Amino acid sequence: MNALLVRLPPVVLMLLACTAGVLQAQTLSTWTAGPGRLGLGYPVPIPVDTPLPFDGFRSYQGLLTRHFDLSNQHGFIQRQTIGVTEQAQRNIYMYIISDPDDRTADLREEGSVLINGGIHAREWQSPEVVTGIMELLSAAADDAHLHQYLIENMNVALIPVLNVDGFLQTQRTPDRNYLDSDPDFPLGSPRDGRMRRKNMRATDEQLASVGDHLNGIDLNRNSAPFHANSSSSSGNPDSLVYHGQTAFSETETQALINAPDFLLPGAVSTTLGDRLRMFIDVHSFTRVLFPVATFNTARNQNQARLMRVLVDHHKELPGNKVYRILSNSGPGFGIGTTSEYFANQFQVPSWTLELEPGNGGGTEYGGFGSNGHDGFMLPETEIRRVRENMAASIAAAAYWTAGPPSVQSLSLVDVASGQLIYNARLLPTANDAERQLISTTPGALVAGHSYAVRLGFDKPMRWLDGEEQVIALPGQPAATQDLQLQLKIADSSTAGQLELSASAATWATQRGFFGTGYARYKTDSLSFVLDVADSARNQQLLNANDALHMQFAVTDMTGHALDRNALSAVDWNNGDWRNHESDSASLAGIVIPAGANASDEGFAVTGRMAGTWRSLNNSGVGFIIEPLADERVVVAWASYDEAGGQRWLVGVGEQLGNRIIVDNMLLAEGASFQQFDPDDVQRTPFAGSLEFTFTDCDNGVLQFHGFGQTGVRTDLINSSRVAGSGCDEQTTSLPALAHASGSWHDASRRGEGMNMHVLPDGRAVLFWYSNNNQGEQIWFTGVGTVAEDSDRIDFDRLVQTRGGRFGNLFDPADVERVEVGQASFTPLCNDASFDFSFADPELGSGSLNLVRLTRITGIPDCP
């Protein structure tokens, strides 16, 4: 008898003896670092009960703790229980990584990808890699680049361990299993213990229970549409690849196929499967991708492109590991795998991904290779690299599934004058398949001028190295960096291309103004200077005043070609990209005004812009603008948060020609209204931008980015012009107290303040920004009149609003206006007294000693 058996406890010997007639000569064997039938040549991996990644394998409890910790820490990770295991009824968890709004940054439907791990118990690399994806996206959630883009524009669904019972069994006995009893491969195929492949159906968790060690179902042979159709699966219950009596007979595979039925974060009825674009079943070993072919040619082609992105990306990472893509057997064939089910059911790219080791098994790392199954036992020193590298490559593949890029915006600014001459932005509509073009033309293209051009895209377009330098994504050719550009007259008898030159294009990697920084993600904006020659040809073409089309071709970082017609939004449908016109990239329908005789002098911002600005049909939210003498501009934004509460921000911008650009605003909160302590005020920088473009004294356009949204307001109007600042007003006819217009605050209450503006008709407008007693932002408005025979302005009705929602979600019909109190303002020169009384006892009554913060340019000094 084998010496190992002689040393076994009596209970094991008894069990072996009782089952010898059934199982023949099974041998309980131990993996070692030294030579032998199960000799590895390197230390036997042992799982460690820790949640944190390290140079080794984590136990199931360690991984589960990590998953729970990350989902509890990050609101963008939603945990779902999708089923239970067949034998022990343990929970099977899925984690959906996505922001909570179910919409992309430009308000279209988000796509989804599903990554399954741990379907075969012995493949420890698989749960580590799927967990690594969660760890990567969590760590880089604020990178303003590829990973934040995925969180905000995709749904990345992860099932780290599907075969929980089997995985626990392998980790319970990490160095032991049976040999010599497998009916298919009796001499070389270790079974149960560390080498259990199947689930635990009809199996207890005691390795000593020999009679059940061959039991269970191969969960990757248990799926339709090709269940029990191949010699690669078996009807023998003892077989390593036993497919089960029926397709989806196991609760584990039922959990997996039911996962697409779970609602997406923020969705009312939309499920993961409604938006699915990729499925990967992660295994080990042999470093290979097993693709699935269907009768959908477009899907097959897209699958090939997507797999190539992953493989080419991975081979350039540390270790330089090359994965093979095996040819499949064509459509209509399969062996019962999960990837076959998802490919045929959802018509998405779908494959089995086999991780390291490669074909050589442990020999790749200096091991003996004495048993072919050592390929499932990756050295502990290698798992960190495998986990991190493959997580990065799968993230690159998920970026591809987010779709081809499209243009979001185009602007041209005259370099010499700073005048914006053209601005266009594509906005979503109620129809997800369409976009609306919003453009303004406050100027014209002139021969002999230079223009700063900025193109904005709906996704980050270039990869960045560790030094934030723009480079090609690993595995992608340098040609993905190229940009083709031309500007020509269109639809004209004088059709032809202008004589121009362009500087090298620069991708924005720093947040900044709309014209200089990225809008939402690093490298989503491209800038260059366009020089229009002062030539006879250009004069002739521009004098015709025909429309100009700027045409360009550019790919994203995975080689997706730019959508030619950005007005029809690209989406995934039945295995292909719907509305993706990529034959000739251009901004269809977007034109640039031409005119060689256009004036070099455009409308310029001055003190006449002072006042309250709002969108024509958006009463209930506004911007208070105060231009100063040094060409800076104070801007306050009275708005709402996403839940309908009040929100206000104050900042300082700069004048540039006909524009005001604000990239420095603060949100102040935390102090109590009645017990105001400036030290309690928390000032949060606004991670966004505002750009106002004015066509005259009373009309303008606003572009904004912030709090997860980007939008345009083309119908901006000056709803309360400040006396003395208007285009047609004379300072000799100013109303009383006009000199008091500006920003004020009480020095003992730093962190709140107000704008008080006297209007040409003698009335006054007040915006007062503060916090309630819970430290939450509140603001009040009021219209006042100068008291008779007095230097006091009375605001008889202070109003507080509520119910509006921020940005593109704003509907004026949601705004409620509640009268809350009264106030009076008595200015001297640079000081003023302010008395208030609220009906709400939590706010009460009181007085403030105000000092002036700003004096609007053009407004006269104190008399």
Side-chain angles (χ1 to χ4, degrees):
M1 182 177 287
N2 188 294
L4 284 174
L5 287 178
V6 173
R7 292 195 295 271
L8 289 175
V11 64
V12 177
L13 290 172
M14 179 180 67
L15 289 169
L16 291 174
C18 292
T19 58
V22 178
L23 302 176
Q24 301 179 5
Q26 64 277 354
T27 305
L28 188 62
S29 302
T30 301
W31 290 89
T32 66
R37 291 186 69 190
L38 296 181
L40 281 177
Y42 46 80
V44 178
I46 304 295
V48 177
D49 276 325
T50 178
L52 299 179
F54 72 110
D55 292 331
F57 292 92
R58 289 169 280 191
S59 69
Y60 174 72
Q61 187 57 52
L63 291 169
L64 189 64
T65 300
R66 181 62 162 163
H67 305 153
F68 273 50
D69 286 349
L70 291 176
S71 62
N72 291 334
Q73 292 168 15
H74 301 289
F76 55 79
I77 303 180
Q78 181 188 90
R79 182 172 67 243
Q80 298 274 12
T81 302
I82 61 172
V84 295
T85 59
E86 182 69 41
Q87 188 71 1
Q89 299 291 292
R90 293 184 174 95
N91 285 341
I92 301 170
Y93 296 104
M94 176 173 70
Y95 305 84
I96 301 179
I97 302 178
S98 179
D99 62 1
D101 62 4
D102 187 38
R103 290 280 158 170
T104 64
D106 61 344
L107 302 183
R108 293 182 295 112
E109 294 181 339
E110 293 180 343
S112 302
V113 299
L114 177 59
I115 318 295
N116 182 57
I119 194 170
H120 285 154
R122 62 192 178 186
E123 298 169 5
W124 290 6
Q125 291 89 291
S126 172
E128 284 283 353
V129 164
V130 179
T131 300
I133 300 169
M134 188 186 303
E135 291 170 331
L136 170 64
L137 294 180
S138 298
D142 298 320
D143 68 352
H145 198 225
L146 185 149
H147 304 100
Q148 184 176 338
Y149 170 79
L150 289 178
I151 293 171
E152 295 178 349
N153 295 270
M154 290 290 291
N155 300 282
V156 179
L158 307 173
I159 303 173
V161 185
L162 185 71
N163 186 2
V164 179
D165 291 348
F167 187 51
L168 283 167
Q169 178 78 342
T170 67
Q171 294 200 326
R172 220 175 268 118
T173 53
D175 63 347
R176 286 176 296 155
N177 50 249
Y178 288 99
L179 283 175
D180 303 324
S181 60
D182 188 281
D184 299 319
F185 308 101
L187 297 180
S189 187
R191 298 295 297 272
D192 207 18
R194 175 61 181 86
M195 282 297 131
R196 171 164 284 274
R197 169 186 171 99
K198 301 192 287 185
N199 72 353
M200 297 285 285
R201 173 182 277 275
T203 306
D204 66 25
E205 297 181 345
Q206 303 300 317
L207 188 60
S209 301
V210 184
D212 60 10
H213 84 277
L214 297 180
N215 291 349
I217 308 296
D218 183 348
L219 298 177
N220 205 38
R221 298 294 188 273
N222 191 231
S223 296
F226 304 115
H227 177 261
N229 273 17
S230 168
S231 60
S232 294
S233 67
S234 174
N236 178 359
D238 289 344
S239 171
L240 195 66
V241 290
Y242 176 49
H243 50 57
Q245 292 185 351
T246 62
F248 309 127
S249 61
E250 307 308 286
T251 58
E252 291 93 347
T253 47
Q254 292 167 20
L256 179 58
I257 67 166
N258 289 332
D261 294 334
F262 280 78
L263 287 177
L264 292 175
V268 176
S269 60
T270 305
T271 66
L272 183 70
D274 294 333
R275 309 274 180 78
L276 196 63
R277 297 179 182 176
M278 178 179 73
F279 173 76
I280 303 176
D281 197 19
V282 184
H283 293 247
S284 62
F285 66 103
T286 61
R287 284 206 319 272
V288 66
L289 280 68
F290 291 102
V292 178
T294 71
F295 292 100
N296 186 329
T297 301
R299 187 217 71 96
N300 296 340
Q301 292 172 342
N302 280 309
Q303 176 176 269
R305 297 184 187 105
L306 180 53
M307 289 190 300
R308 195 77 257 164
V309 168
L310 188 152
V311 169
D312 289 346
H313 181 274
H314 198 272
K315 71 182 180 182
E316 299 299 324
L317 300 182
N320 304 114
K321 298 297 183 180
V322 177
Y323 278 70
R324 296 172 297 143
I325 301 175
L326 293 191
S327 60
N328 49 50
S329 300
F333 172 83
I335 61 175
T337 68
T338 62
S339 59
E340 293 160 1
Y341 168 77
F342 280 93
N344 287 277
Q345 179 69 21
F346 295 95
Q347 292 301 316
V348 298
S350 178
W351 63 85
T352 299
L353 169 62
E354 298 279 0
L355 301 168
E356 295 184 41
N359 281 332
T363 60
E364 191 168 330
Y365 316 99
F368 299 138
S370 56
N371 184 292
H373 286 66
D374 66 352
F376 295 107
M377 304 184 75
L378 188 75
E380 293 173 324
T381 55
E382 302 293 326
I383 185 58
R384 181 187 293 272
R385 173 186 55 78
V386 171
R387 176 178 59 236
E388 294 178 355
N389 284 4
M390 187 51 70
S393 295
I394 291 175
Y399 168 91
W400 187 96
T401 67
S406 64
V407 173
Q408 288 278 281
S409 62
L410 170 64
S411 64
L412 280 79
V413 175
D414 189 292
V415 173
S417 67
Q419 297 288 317
L420 179 74
I421 70 160
Y422 178 72
N423 188 64
R425 182 170 289 275
L426 287 152
L427 296 179
T429 67
N431 182 349
D432 264 4
E434 298 177 356
R435 290 191 181 97
Q436 179 185 12
L437 175 65
I438 302 296
S439 63
T440 57
T441 56
L445 202 69
V446 180
H449 283 223
S450 296
Y451 298 92
V453 180
R454 179 184 180 277
L455 284 168
F457 301 90
D458 62 353
K459 64 191 302 188
M461 296 288 285
R462 292 292 177 268
W463 185 241
L464 299 172
D465 65 14
E467 303 298 323
E468 295 280 286
Q469 299 299 308
V470 175
I471 61 172
L473 183 74
Q476 292 297 312
T480 56
Q481 303 289 90
D482 295 344
L483 169 70
Q484 300 175 20
L485 173 73
Q486 66 177 355
L487 189 63
K488 68 179 184 179
I489 304 293
D491 304 324
S492 168
S493 59
T494 57
Q497 187 169 335
L498 289 171
E499 295 174 352
L500 51 82
S501 59
S503 66
T506 301
W507 292 96
T509 60
Q510 300 294 321
R511 184 175 295 281
F513 300 143
F514 273 93
T516 59
Y518 62 83
R520 188 179 183 90
Y521 307 107
K522 296 174 183 176
T523 74
D524 70 2
S525 301
L526 177 69
S527 299
F528 56 91
V529 174
L530 194 67
D531 296 315
V532 181
D534 192 8
S535 66
R537 175 179 176 79
N538 283 351
Q539 291 284 353
Q540 178 187 3
L541 292 173
L542 293 173
N543 275 336
N545 288 317
D546 290 320
L548 298 174
H549 281 189
M550 179 174 286
Q551 297 183 322
F552 40 87
V554 65
T555 64
D556 72 9
M557 67 178 78
T558 55
H560 264 313
L562 186 67
D563 182 28
R564 179 179 58 82
N565 181 9
L567 293 173
S568 58
V570 176
D571 198 5
W572 179 264
N573 182 53
N574 193 35
D576 202 5
W577 298 109
R578 180 186 63 193
N579 295 333
H580 183 207
E581 300 91 359
S582 61
D583 56 314
S584 175
S586 68
L587 275 177
I590 293 183
V591 297
I592 303 170
N597 299 319
S599 172
D600 288 350
E601 296 181 6
F603 183 84
V605 173
T606 64
R608 56 195 175 182
M609 300 295 102
T612 304
W613 291 78
R614 65 175 177 83
S615 186
L616 181 62
N617 298 311
N618 279 9
S619 178
V621 61
F623 301 88
I624 297 83
I625 295 178
E626 294 184 352
L628 309 181
D630 59 1
E631 296 191 349
R632 293 182 303 155
V633 183
V634 172
V635 176
W637 189 355
S639 185
Y640 307 90
D641 61 23
E642 291 71 19
Q646 290 185 307
R647 173 190 283 159
W648 56 268
L649 299 102
V650 176
V652 178
E654 64 174 315
Q655 301 176 25
L656 290 172
N658 56 347
R659 295 176 295 155
I660 294 174
I661 297 178
V662 189
D663 196 44
N664 181 20
M665 303 190 84
L666 292 175
L667 183 152
E669 58 187 343
S672 166
F673 185 86
Q674 282 195 330
Q675 303 295 326
F676 197 97
D677 184 343
D679 292 337
D680 293 336
V681 177
Q682 302 170 16
R683 295 171 175 83
T684 304
F686 171 55
S689 299
L690 302 176
E691 180 175 337
F692 301 89
T693 303
F694 300 99
T695 54
D696 56 40
C697 291
D698 298 309
N699 297 279
V701 175
L702 166 71
Q703 294 185 76
F704 71 86
H705 167 66
F707 301 109
Q709 293 189 41
T710 297
V712 177
R713 300 289 182 266
T714 60
D715 57 350
L716 209 63
I717 59 170
N718 191 335
S719 61
S720 65
R721 183 184 296 173
V722 177
S725 67
C727 294
D728 54 359
E729 290 182 332
Q730 303 296 319
T731 57
T732 56
S733 60
L734 293 178
L737 305 183
H739 63 276
S741 294
S743 300
W744 300 78
H745 83 148
D746 186 321
S748 67
R749 295 170 67 96
R750 297 185 309 277
E752 71 168 13
M754 62 185 68
N755 301 109
M756 204 290 296
H757 293 170
V758 176
L759 309 182
D761 63 5
R763 295 178 303 157
V765 173
L766 176 73
F767 283 85
W768 181 8
Y769 317 102
S770 189
N771 299 157
N772 61 22
N773 288 335
Q774 290 73 49
E776 301 165 334
Q777 287 195 317
I778 54 176
W779 49 270
F780 311 101
T781 62
V783 177
T785 57
V786 178
E788 188 174 352
D789 300 326
S790 173
D791 288 334
R792 187 182 76 247
I793 302 174
D794 290 328
F795 298 92
D796 295 332
R797 296 173 61 249
L798 289 182
V799 174
Q800 187 174 9
T801 61
R802 63 189 179 199
R805 298 173 68 192
F806 175 74
N808 297 320
L809 303 175
F810 181 81
D811 183 344
D814 295 336
V815 177
E816 300 178 50
R817 294 168 175 81
V818 181
E819 186 175 338
V820 293
Q822 305 84 35
S824 63
F825 181 96
T826 306
L828 296 175
C829 182
N830 294 318
D831 300 284
S833 61
F834 185 80
D835 301 307
F836 61 88
S837 176
F838 289 101
D840 185 349
E842 287 196 5
L843 300 179
S845 304
S847 298
L848 303 178
N849 297 314
L850 302 178
V851 295
R852 180 187 292 277
L853 291 174
T854 65
R855 182 175 296 281
I856 300 170
T857 184
I859 300 299
D861 206 341
C862 309

